[in-house]
Amino acid sequence: MAHWLFKTEPTECSIDDFAKAPNSAIVWEGVRNYQARNMLRDEVKKDDLVLIYHSSCKLIGVAGIARVVRESYPDPSQFDPLSAYYDEKSSVQKPRWVAVDLIFTRKLPAIISLDKMKSSAKLRSLPVVQKGSRLSVMPVNDTQWQDILHLG
DNA sequence: GCCAACGTTGGC
DNA sequence: GCCAACGTTGGC
């Protein structure tokens, strides 16, 4: 079982949105970067655990944990002209983007801040703390997973 | 709101 | 297939 970190702007989808619907799958849609898509499509598997990371907000960092309940399938938002994620170059016959479904696991008692992760020597190789890393889907290895949660 | 660091696009 | 111009991301 692998571990991941998914970025989200809490104004779009926050850990509280997960917590409010603990029994319903959340469609993780809108990934529009090829490198992130490839991981989502090829490597993110059912039962993998995901750190939900809040970005572009006041309290930047890991807010909670979710679990993959459905592996990649065509992202419905790419076909929806009314969606902000609509892609006119994509088609149902040849979809370009994928989504996965997640379910709430738990909210952390406190956000594990980006600052805190950056100041941990153990986490220097973690993609999210590296300069210029903008991927919205990033791998987290087992050791890093433990180290991150121990910061909390 | 700024801007560095990436990613994408399109002319050649 | 190169690369300049442009667009986006996201921390600050």
Side-chain angles (χ1 to χ4, degrees):
Chain A
M1 183 195 65
H3 298 112
W4 304 95
L5 181 148
F6 287 7
K7 279 187 194 168
T8 177
E9 299 189 12
T11 51
E12 294 294 315
C13 176
S14 77
I15 194 68
D16 289 323
D17 296 323
F18 278 90
K20 265 182 253 167
N23 298 311
S24 5
I26 303 258
V27 180
W28 201 262
E29 62 183 12
V31 171
R32 293 293 179 271
N33 168 286
Y34 288 104
Q35 211 181 327
R37 179 209 60 185
N38 292 347
M39 281 190 278
L40 207 57
R41 186 189 58 196
D42 305 330
E43 297 177 46
V44 175
K45 299 296 179 192
K46 191 168 186 295
D47 293 330
D48 282 359
L49 292 176
V50 177
L51 297 172
I52 302 298
Y53 173 93
H54 288 174
S55 71
S56 296
C57 59
K58 200 157 186 183
L59 249 172
I60 298 163
V62 174
I65 299 171
R67 182 168 47 87
V68 178
V69 289
R70 184 182 175 190
E71 290 177 15
S72 70
Y73 60 98
D75 178 345
S77 68
Q78 69 194 310
F79 310 126
D80 176 6
L82 299 178
S83 167
Y85 302 123
Y86 178 61
D87 184 349
E88 59 173 15
K89 290 176 185 164
S90 188
S91 67
V92 179
Q93 291 73 29
K94 250 194 151 183
R96 183 180 284 196
W97 307 110
V98 300
V100 298
D101 286 357
L102 300 180
I103 201 156
F104 179 69
T105 298
R106 67 188 173 99
K107 182 179 173 173
L108 297 178
I111 299 238
I112 298 170
S113 71
L114 176 61
D115 258 4
K116 209 164 186 179
M117 291 192 284
K118 275 186 172 167
S119 52
S120 163
K122 286 177 173 180
L123 293 175
R124 266 182 305 199
S125 62
L126 186 72
V128 77
V129 305
Q130 283 162 13
K131 198 175 172 184
S133 86
R134 301 190 312 177
L135 285 182
S136 58
V137 173
M138 301 191 213
V140 175
N141 71 33
D142 293 358
T143 313
Q144 291 165 339
W145 176 272
Q146 292 299 331
D147 290 340
I148 292 167
L149 292 176
H150 282 149
L151 291 177

